[in-house]
Amino acid sequence: MGVQAGVLLCWLHVLCAVVFGDVWKVEVESKMDALVSSCVVLPCTFKYPAQEQPSSRIRAMWHTKTNRKDYIYNNDHTNVIENFKGRTKLIGSLGALNCSLEIDGVRNHDNGPYCFRVELGTSAKYSFVNNCVTIKMIEKASKPELLAETSVEEGQPLIFKCSVRHTCPSHQPTLSWNHTGKTITSYKDIGHGKWEAESSLTFIPTKEDDHSSVACTVKYHGSVEGEMQVTHQIFVKVEQANLSHFIIPTISGLGAALLVGLLCLIVVIKYKKRIADLQSRNDNT
């Protein structure tokens, strides 16, 4: 009976492991990029086997994979390791099963890996050590991407689009221009923890814009280093219609002046000839 009981317990343990392993779930991005000195958000959603609990009854933690007691985030902030105190916070609602974590002031040794842990009271606890997140540090930012036409016609609308990709949606980067015009900024989730910030600039170029450079500058959260500005030179072509509006009146004006001058010359010549004829008659008499 002892052997049978042992076998039964073994199978029960395996069965429970399979059942609970299927119910305790977490979804994270296994690899994330982060700009040093800025911030990064680790997307995270989870599922637990117990009945739905209010946020107040769910305890959430993030810890290093090598030591489950090294908390980088804990409901009890006094349990957070010194290196992460004041730099981490949950930005998701635990009641909505969102365990996303923000790490601010990213340092070049914050690589991880980091794992999520959830506790429901004193008995239901789970650390997702098989689904952890490793962070790749980006020391310097790449310059923004700028799209626009190079050669444009005067008087026709010109659209510039400037964009950057990042991993901190809680502190979106800002994009600015060195040229006036109508600007529209948008933010888009492009998946796998990455976001895209885009700004479009629309204006009508004039001849004064010819050979000028339009610049887009990005400002990240934190003291990020790298290439923050990209420029694009434009060449403005004067419309043919505008040239004709200028040339035709000019030629017409010159033609009219020439005609008037010619008529005046003819009148003067005739006048002088008539005077000469009168003088000749007087001399003969």
Side-chain angles (χ1 to χ4, degrees):
M1 291 294 291
V3 175
Q4 291 179 345
V7 172
L8 181 60
L9 287 173
C10 181
W11 277 106
L12 184 61
H13 176 75
V14 172
L15 180 61
C16 288
V18 171
V19 172
F20 283 107
D22 184 56
V23 175
W24 289 95
K25 289 185 177 181
V26 71
E27 290 187 8
V28 295
E29 294 296 329
S30 59
K31 295 180 180 179
M32 292 287 296
D33 293 338
L35 274 172
V36 173
S37 87
S38 187
C39 55
V40 62
V41 171
L42 310 183
C44 174
T45 57
F46 68 103
K47 182 180 179 182
Y48 53 83
Q51 292 182 347
E52 186 175 336
Q53 301 287 324
S55 298
S56 59
R57 298 196 61 183
I58 303 175
R59 294 190 64 221
M61 287 143 277
W62 282 80
H63 58 79
T64 63
K65 186 173 184 178
T66 55
N67 189 338
R68 299 188 188 188
K69 297 298 182 182
D70 283 347
Y71 297 112
I72 67 169
Y73 172 81
N74 193 307
N75 293 64
D76 182 357
H77 301 303
T78 60
N79 288 332
V80 176
I81 57 178
E82 194 64 33
N83 184 39
F84 282 91
K85 283 186 177 179
R87 295 202 296 126
T88 57
K89 66 178 180 179
L90 287 182
I91 61 171
S93 169
L94 294 175
L97 305 181
N98 189 324
C99 46
S100 299
L101 179 76
E102 178 194 287
I103 302 176
D104 200 6
V106 172
R107 300 172 184 175
N108 55 15
H109 50 75
D110 290 343
N111 305 80
Y114 305 118
C115 315
F116 176 64
R117 176 180 175 82
V118 62
E119 296 182 357
L120 308 173
T122 58
S123 57
K125 304 176 182 180
Y126 203 92
S127 284
F128 300 94
V129 292
N130 293 323
N131 300 86
C132 302
V133 183
T134 301
I135 303 174
K136 178 184 176 181
M137 298 300 139
I138 308 298
E139 297 287 344
K140 293 186 178 181
S142 301
K143 66 181 179 180
E145 182 178 350
L146 183 58
L147 299 176
E149 295 183 20
T150 300
S151 182
V152 297
E153 290 189 358
E154 182 184 16
Q156 296 299 314
L158 178 60
I159 301 175
F160 286 81
K161 289 188 177 181
C162 181
S163 62
V164 293
R165 294 186 175 185
H166 63 99
T167 54
C168 189
S170 54
H171 296 281
Q172 295 279 2
T174 58
L175 296 163
S176 58
W177 301 90
N178 70 336
H179 197 290
T180 58
K182 180 183 178 182
T183 60
I184 299 176
T185 302
S186 62
Y187 305 103
K188 181 171 61 176
D189 183 355
I190 57 177
H192 302 289
K194 293 182 173 64
W195 288 70
E196 182 179 72
E198 181 184 87
S199 177
S200 65
L201 169 70
T202 305
F203 66 93
I204 297 178
T206 64
K207 59 183 179 180
E208 285 75 19
D209 292 311
D210 189 32
H211 287 78
S212 66
S213 292
V214 175
C216 171
T217 303
V218 59
K219 176 66 174 67
Y220 292 97
H221 174 71
S223 304
V224 176
E225 296 182 354
E227 296 183 79
M228 303 300 172
Q229 188 179 85
V230 60
T231 60
H232 186 89
Q233 190 174 32
I234 59 174
F235 302 92
V236 181
K237 296 183 295 184
V238 178
E239 290 186 273
Q240 191 66 33
N242 289 343
L243 286 174
S244 64
H245 287 327
F246 172 77
I247 292 174
I248 292 176
T250 301
I251 293 177
S252 299
L254 290 174
L258 183 62
L259 180 61
V260 171
L262 183 61
L263 290 175
C264 290
L265 180 62
I266 293 174
V267 170
V268 169
I269 291 174
K270 287 184 176 181
Y271 176 77
K272 287 184 176 181
K273 183 178 180 182
R274 185 175 181 182
I275 295 297
D277 290 343
L278 290 174
Q279 288 181 347
S280 177
R281 291 176 183 176
N282 292 333
D283 291 341
N284 291 332
T285 56

